[in-house]
Amino acid sequence: MIPHHRPCAAFGAVCAALLVATLSGCGSIGPKAVPRDRIDYAGAIGDSWKQQTLLNIVKLRYADFPVFLDINQVIAGYEFNSSATAGFNASSSSYENPAPSFLTLGGSVLLQGGYKDQPTVLYTPSTGSDFITRLMTPIPPSAVLFLLQAGYAADRVLRLTLDSINGISNESNRRIGATREADPRFVRLGQLISEMQVAGALEVRILRPKDGAETSIVVFRPGTRDPALEAKRREIAEILGLKPDPEEINVYYGGYSGRDNEIAMLTRSMLQIMLELGFFAEVPETDIKDGKASPSAIKSENRNPLQIMSGDAPPQEAFVSVPYHGHWFWIPDTDLRSKSTFGSVMLLFSISDVGAKGGAPVVTVPTK
């Protein structure tokens, strides 16, 4: 028996084990990447959505048309390439004289591996008559009520989404040279409904009959018959021209009919909402003087629902920021009121079904 065969076999076994361990490592890349990549992709998509929304609000102030690019699909692809090479040599004294045998064993192992993250992101531009129609169609009253039911303050929601309610006008700034201040009753109504919300005395029901149109109902709960709440309920009824003790009131889209048992809302479209919010942006005076951006004539004593700041450099801390026309525009991260308003706008985009429609593209993902 040749004495150096066993060490050689042992060394070869070690090399083989290293090779198998290296090559088997690729089997765990996908599962381990899911917790990390899912959060990272969700965060990136959310930030991009916020930036796109803010940019389009600012663009409308500059008389520029909004453009939307939807992320249709995100396909994460992972590729791991690995290789291992091993070599060894052994020598001893001559076979004829095995007694003074000396074994010299040498070898080398080279492990190489490469990891690739190859995501595929599919974008769909929102264009065409269907998209423009949805963008310019007034949001349904149910979307307004859903925001109230979700806990968004009524004074901000009504100010953001309505042109009028039962003939009582909201402020409007989107018509250059024809701005309109809010009817004091509209402001008071928002305050009263907000207080009813906090007390849990206001509920919303959506009825969807099989053979009829969707109906929204506002329910003023009698509750404990608290004198203060009852007084607020009667004041709401008086402002809206309703019966003295309303409990269930149907809500419709349209102008005021004069009936004392319904609420008529003239809601705004998403385009109108963005136009209104654009006038709360702090646009540089030079851009207004040069005719690049529309001047603002807001004189409301109420706090602005959205504060958009501007500057020549990117902000240090911002909830969302975008560059446009050589300036930076942002919403401060410390402004909870503006962040809440901005969040409600993004929710309205989803509820109002504004976006691209059509079949999603078919993507073939290679398996190798």
Side-chain angles (χ1 to χ4, degrees):
M1 180 179 294
I2 300 175
H4 63 266
H5 282 182
R6 288 182 181 175
C8 294
F11 184 78
V14 172
C15 295
L18 289 173
L19 177 61
V20 171
T22 302
L23 294 177
S24 63
C26 62
S28 61
I29 291 177
K32 290 182 179 180
V34 169
R36 179 196 68 238
D37 288 358
R38 187 170 188 174
I39 294 174
D40 290 346
Y41 279 121
I45 292 172
D47 290 342
S48 176
W49 186 17
K50 291 190 296 184
Q51 291 168 346
Q52 178 176 252
T53 302
L54 177 60
L55 178 61
N56 282 324
I57 290 173
V58 173
K59 286 173 68 176
L60 285 168
R61 179 68 181 275
Y62 282 78
D64 196 356
F65 195 76
V67 176
F68 295 87
L69 193 65
D70 295 335
I71 297 178
N72 193 274
Q73 290 185 28
V74 177
I75 301 173
Y78 309 99
E79 182 179 339
F80 185 81
N81 298 318
S82 62
S83 63
T85 59
F88 63 91
N89 58 76
S91 64
S92 69
S93 60
S94 66
Y95 179 75
E96 291 79 6
N97 187 18
S101 177
F102 296 93
L103 178 65
T104 302
L105 180 65
S108 63
V109 179
L110 177 62
L111 303 178
Q112 294 179 326
Y115 170 78
K116 288 184 179 180
D117 183 5
Q118 297 176 312
T120 300
V121 183
L122 303 181
Y123 298 98
T124 303
S126 297
T127 57
S129 59
D130 288 343
F131 167 71
I132 299 301
T133 300
R134 286 193 297 274
L135 188 64
M136 300 181 66
T137 299
I139 62 175
S142 59
V144 179
L145 299 179
F146 278 137
L147 287 178
L148 299 182
Q149 188 71 9
Y152 286 88
D155 55 345
R156 276 179 276 171
V157 171
L158 299 185
R159 186 181 180 188
L160 177 68
T161 60
L162 300 185
D163 262 347
S164 69
I165 179 170
N166 273 17
I168 303 170
S169 298
N170 185 15
E171 68 176 334
S172 178
N173 302 286
R174 64 183 184 271
R175 300 177 181 87
I176 306 300
T179 58
R180 180 185 67 209
E181 294 189 22
D183 188 314
R185 294 176 298 168
F186 188 95
V187 178
R188 177 57 179 163
L189 182 65
Q191 295 172 347
L192 288 169
I193 296 179
S194 293
E195 293 169 3
M196 295 286 280
Q197 279 181 293
V198 173
L202 179 70
E203 292 182 351
V204 175
R205 290 213 316 263
I206 307 296
L207 302 181
R208 294 184 175 89
K210 292 182 179 179
D211 301 325
E214 178 182 278
T215 302
S216 304
I217 298 177
V218 174
V219 181
F220 296 94
R221 294 176 54 192
T224 58
R225 294 292 181 182
D226 180 90
L229 291 178
E230 290 300 311
K232 291 174 183 177
R233 186 166 65 153
R234 286 193 294 270
E235 186 175 356
I236 290 174
E238 181 181 356
I239 292 174
L240 293 175
L242 303 175
K243 294 180 292 186
D245 294 310
E247 290 191 6
E248 292 190 3
I249 305 297
N250 291 334
V251 182
Y252 302 99
Y253 171 82
Y256 183 41
S257 66
R259 300 189 182 96
D260 63 358
N261 61 348
E262 68 179 36
I263 295 176
M265 292 182 175
L266 272 179
T267 58
R268 292 169 173 169
S269 67
M270 290 309 303
L271 181 61
Q272 291 173 326
I273 290 174
M274 290 193 298
L275 279 166
E276 294 284 350
L277 291 177
F279 283 94
F280 294 111
E282 296 180 359
V283 174
E285 287 294 331
T286 54
D287 285 358
I288 295 176
K289 290 179 180 178
D290 294 342
K292 296 179 181 178
S294 303
S296 177
I298 295 177
K299 300 178 181 179
S300 175
E301 297 179 358
N302 299 321
R303 287 183 60 194
N304 293 340
L306 183 66
Q307 180 184 20
I308 301 175
M309 304 183 71
S310 65
D312 295 330
Q316 296 296 323
E317 292 185 0
F319 173 65
V320 55
S321 62
V322 291
Y324 183 72
H325 252 280
H327 309 287
W328 279 87
F329 297 87
W330 69 88
I331 295 174
D333 196 30
T334 55
D335 188 349
L336 287 175
R337 184 182 182 90
S338 293
K339 288 161 67 174
S340 177
T341 300
F342 193 78
S344 64
V345 172
M346 297 180 70
L347 279 177
L348 283 171
F349 267 111
S350 300
I351 295 174
S352 304
D353 198 28
V354 175
K357 289 295 180 183
V362 178
V363 179
T364 301
V365 181
T367 57
K368 293 183 179 181

Short mmCIF file of all heavy atoms in Angstrom, two decimals, residues 142 205-217 250-253:
data_model
loop_
_atom_site.label_atom_id
_atom_site.label_comp_id
_atom_site.label_asym_id
_atom_site.label_seq_id
_atom_site.Cartn_x
_atom_site.Cartn_y
_atom_site.Cartn_z
N SER A 142 -69.43 59.83 -0.33
CA SER A 142 -69.03 58.73 0.55
C SER A 142 -67.55 58.79 0.88
O SER A 142 -67.13 58.42 1.99
CB SER A 142 -69.36 57.38 -0.11
OG SER A 142 -68.69 57.24 -1.35
N ARG A 205 -73.07 55.68 7.70
CA ARG A 205 -73.49 54.40 7.12
C ARG A 205 -73.56 54.55 5.61
O ARG A 205 -74.00 55.57 5.08
CB ARG A 205 -74.86 53.97 7.65
CG ARG A 205 -74.88 53.56 9.09
CD ARG A 205 -75.92 52.46 9.35
NE ARG A 205 -77.20 52.70 8.71
CZ ARG A 205 -78.26 53.24 9.31
NH1 ARG A 205 -78.17 53.61 10.57
NH2 ARG A 205 -79.39 53.41 8.67
N ILE A 206 -73.12 53.51 4.91
CA ILE A 206 -73.19 53.48 3.45
C ILE A 206 -74.10 52.33 3.06
O ILE A 206 -73.84 51.17 3.40
CB ILE A 206 -71.80 53.29 2.81
CG1 ILE A 206 -70.80 54.34 3.35
CG2 ILE A 206 -71.89 53.37 1.30
CD1 ILE A 206 -71.16 55.75 3.01
N LEU A 207 -75.19 52.64 2.37
CA LEU A 207 -76.14 51.63 1.93
C LEU A 207 -75.93 51.35 0.44
O LEU A 207 -75.84 52.29 -0.37
CB LEU A 207 -77.57 52.10 2.17
CG LEU A 207 -77.95 52.44 3.62
CD1 LEU A 207 -79.41 52.86 3.70
CD2 LEU A 207 -77.69 51.26 4.55
N ARG A 208 -75.85 50.08 0.10
CA ARG A 208 -75.67 49.69 -1.30
C ARG A 208 -76.79 48.72 -1.70
O ARG A 208 -76.60 47.51 -1.70
CB ARG A 208 -74.31 49.03 -1.50
CG ARG A 208 -73.13 49.96 -1.30
CD ARG A 208 -71.81 49.27 -1.62
NE ARG A 208 -70.68 50.17 -1.55
CZ ARG A 208 -69.98 50.40 -0.45
NH1 ARG A 208 -70.34 49.79 0.68
NH2 ARG A 208 -68.95 51.23 -0.47
N PRO A 209 -77.95 49.23 -2.02
CA PRO A 209 -79.05 48.35 -2.44
C PRO A 209 -78.74 47.66 -3.77
O PRO A 209 -77.98 48.19 -4.60
CB PRO A 209 -80.23 49.30 -2.56
CG PRO A 209 -79.63 50.65 -2.78
CD PRO A 209 -78.33 50.65 -2.03
N LYS A 210 -79.33 46.51 -4.00
CA LYS A 210 -79.07 45.74 -5.22
C LYS A 210 -79.52 46.48 -6.47
O LYS A 210 -78.86 46.44 -7.51
CB LYS A 210 -79.77 44.39 -5.13
CG LYS A 210 -79.20 43.46 -4.07
CD LYS A 210 -79.92 42.12 -4.09
CE LYS A 210 -79.34 41.18 -3.04
NZ LYS A 210 -80.06 39.87 -3.04
N ASP A 211 -80.67 47.14 -6.40
CA ASP A 211 -81.24 47.76 -7.59
C ASP A 211 -81.28 49.29 -7.50
O ASP A 211 -82.11 49.94 -8.15
CB ASP A 211 -82.66 47.23 -7.82
CG ASP A 211 -82.69 45.73 -8.00
OD1 ASP A 211 -81.73 45.19 -8.58
OD2 ASP A 211 -83.65 45.08 -7.53
N GLY A 212 -80.40 49.86 -6.70
CA GLY A 212 -80.41 51.30 -6.55
C GLY A 212 -79.02 51.87 -6.40
O GLY A 212 -78.03 51.15 -6.33
N ALA A 213 -78.96 53.19 -6.38
CA ALA A 213 -77.67 53.86 -6.25
C ALA A 213 -77.21 53.83 -4.80
O ALA A 213 -78.01 53.73 -3.87
CB ALA A 213 -77.79 55.31 -6.74
N GLU A 214 -75.89 53.94 -4.63
CA GLU A 214 -75.32 53.97 -3.29
C GLU A 214 -75.81 55.20 -2.53
O GLU A 214 -75.90 56.29 -3.07
CB GLU A 214 -73.79 54.00 -3.40
CG GLU A 214 -73.07 54.08 -2.07
CD GLU A 214 -71.56 54.14 -2.25
OE1 GLU A 214 -70.95 53.07 -2.42
OE2 GLU A 214 -71.01 55.25 -2.26
N THR A 215 -76.13 55.01 -1.26
CA THR A 215 -76.64 56.10 -0.44
C THR A 215 -75.79 56.22 0.82
O THR A 215 -75.51 55.22 1.49
CB THR A 215 -78.10 55.85 -0.03
OG1 THR A 215 -78.90 55.70 -1.21
CG2 THR A 215 -78.64 57.01 0.80
N SER A 216 -75.39 57.44 1.13
CA SER A 216 -74.64 57.71 2.35
C SER A 216 -75.57 58.32 3.39
O SER A 216 -76.41 59.16 3.06
CB SER A 216 -73.47 58.66 2.07
OG SER A 216 -72.63 58.14 1.05
N ILE A 217 -75.41 57.90 4.61
CA ILE A 217 -76.27 58.38 5.69
C ILE A 217 -75.41 58.85 6.86
O ILE A 217 -74.49 58.14 7.29
CB ILE A 217 -77.24 57.28 6.18
CG1 ILE A 217 -78.18 56.87 5.04
CG2 ILE A 217 -78.04 57.76 7.38
CD1 ILE A 217 -79.12 55.74 5.41
N ASN A 250 -79.86 61.54 4.87
CA ASN A 250 -79.28 61.07 3.62
C ASN A 250 -78.37 62.16 3.03
O ASN A 250 -78.67 63.35 3.11
CB ASN A 250 -80.36 60.72 2.61
CG ASN A 250 -81.14 59.48 3.01
OD1 ASN A 250 -80.63 58.63 3.72
ND2 ASN A 250 -82.37 59.39 2.55
N VAL A 251 -77.25 61.72 2.44
CA VAL A 251 -76.27 62.63 1.87
C VAL A 251 -76.18 62.36 0.37
O VAL A 251 -76.01 61.22 -0.06
CB VAL A 251 -74.89 62.45 2.52
CG1 VAL A 251 -73.89 63.44 1.94
CG2 VAL A 251 -74.99 62.62 4.03
N TYR A 252 -76.28 63.43 -0.43
CA TYR A 252 -76.24 63.31 -1.88
C TYR A 252 -75.22 64.29 -2.45
O TYR A 252 -74.84 65.28 -1.80
CB TYR A 252 -77.62 63.62 -2.49
CG TYR A 252 -78.74 62.72 -2.01
CD1 TYR A 252 -79.61 63.17 -1.02
CD2 TYR A 252 -78.91 61.45 -2.53
CE1 TYR A 252 -80.64 62.36 -0.57
CE2 TYR A 252 -79.94 60.63 -2.10
CZ TYR A 252 -80.80 61.09 -1.12
OH TYR A 252 -81.81 60.28 -0.67
N TYR A 253 -74.82 64.03 -3.69
CA TYR A 253 -74.00 64.99 -4.41
C TYR A 253 -74.91 65.96 -5.15
O TYR A 253 -75.89 65.55 -5.77
CB TYR A 253 -73.08 64.30 -5.43
CG TYR A 253 -72.38 65.31 -6.33
CD1 TYR A 253 -71.23 65.96 -5.90
CD2 TYR A 253 -72.90 65.62 -7.58
CE1 TYR A 253 -70.60 66.90 -6.70
CE2 TYR A 253 -72.28 66.56 -8.39
CZ TYR A 253 -71.14 67.19 -7.94
OH TYR A 253 -70.53 68.14 -8.73
#
